[in-house]
Amino acid sequence: MQYVCENESVSMQKIIQILTHDIKTPIIAQMRSLELVLEGVFGVLNKEQSEIIMQTYESSKFLYKMMCELLMCCKYENGEVENIFQKLNFCALVRKCIVEKSSDTSKKRLSIKFISRVKSQTVYADKKTMKIAVKNLIYDAICRVKKNSEINVILQDSEKELSLCVNYECENMSEEILEQIFEKSVAGVAKYNTIGTDLNLSLCKEIVKVHRGHVFSSLEGGNINYGFIVPLCKENF
């Protein structure tokens, strides 16, 4: 695969190299430097200085997260991601991801309600990448939902598949925007003050495809509903 940048043809492999060496390394160095400043290694900070440095540090963390997700998207498109498939308790994985996202929910005073309607919980998946898919799905909902709201994380099974989705109230979300929610496009996203979150779902979609699954989205009254479906382990059906 090739991309055109400033009238030059740039291979996907070259983009991966640039992200890995020319961008990722300086961001890591910047974050570590800011951590040392916040720890007082170079002297005590006053309140105003501490707040400014902390904001810069949080911005760097967000940039690093986006860069890592872009890098993984590129690697998926270039066929460079190695997955180690194993039996995985999907219900336990979702619960763990919700706990790990508790700091993000507390910032917006949100609550997450986990609804499990499954008899079979085992999928055949790569634990590391599937965890990324689940966390990205939950994080996207946290970014989009308004403050003091509740997010329903719903896990259901059918005869041969397992479905995970997020469901929450969202005003003025059109079906057109919702249909594109798993794509890389940022069209319409700025309206919801969530620029950058689409990469989370784009990566989620790539991971689910590798696991022989698919994504979905729908409007249910005043609530939006989106997530993914993956096959259960064969011995479960």
Side-chain angles (χ1 to χ4, degrees), residues 32-146:
R32 182 53 186 152
S33 298
L34 291 169
E35 286 173 355
L36 293 173
V37 173
L38 289 168
E39 291 169 3
V41 173
F42 305 109
V44 179
L45 302 174
N46 60 39
K47 183 179 179 181
E48 184 177 348
Q49 291 171 330
S50 181
E51 289 176 354
I52 292 172
I53 297 298
M54 179 57 74
Q55 289 175 1
T56 306
Y57 177 66
E58 291 296 329
S59 296
S60 298
K61 282 175 61 179
F62 181 75
L63 181 60
Y64 178 75
K65 180 178 181 296
M66 286 189 63
M67 188 279 308
C68 287
E69 289 174 349
L70 178 58
L71 177 60
M72 184 166 283
C73 283
C74 290
K75 285 184 175 180
Y76 265 106
E77 291 184 20
N78 208 42
E80 293 189 15
V81 177
E82 182 179 354
N83 292 285
I84 303 174
F85 288 87
Q86 59 184 302
K87 290 182 180 179
L88 185 65
N89 186 315
F90 201 76
C91 187
L93 177 68
V94 174
R95 290 184 186 279
K96 184 174 182 179
C97 290
I98 291 174
V99 171
E100 291 181 5
K101 284 298 176 185
S102 59
S103 60
D104 293 314
T105 58
S106 62
K107 292 175 184 177
K108 293 182 68 174
R109 298 187 293 278
L110 305 175
S111 62
I112 294 183
K113 182 179 181 182
F114 181 43
I115 303 170
S116 179
R117 302 169 180 159
V118 297
K119 294 180 181 178
S120 302
Q121 302 180 10
T122 307
V123 297
Y124 195 59
D126 177 81
K127 184 176 181 179
K128 181 179 178 180
T129 56
M130 184 54 72
K131 185 177 180 180
I132 291 172
V134 173
K135 290 181 74 172
N136 281 9
L137 181 68
I138 295 171
Y139 181 69
D140 183 85
I142 292 170
C143 290
R144 293 178 189 272
V145 74
K146 60 185 179 181

Side-chain angles (χ1 to χ4, degrees), residues 10 16 26 45 64 83 88 93-94 96 109 114 118 132 144 151 153 156-157 162 166 169 179-180 193 215 231:
V10 182
I16 291 172
L45 302 174
Y64 178 75
N83 292 285
L88 185 65
L93 177 68
V94 174
K96 184 174 182 179
R109 298 187 293 278
F114 181 43
V118 297
I132 291 172
R144 293 178 189 272
I151 300 171
V153 177
Q156 303 180 89
D157 63 353
L162 202 62
V166 290
E169 184 178 353
E179 287 175 0
Q180 300 296 317
N193 193 31
V215 297

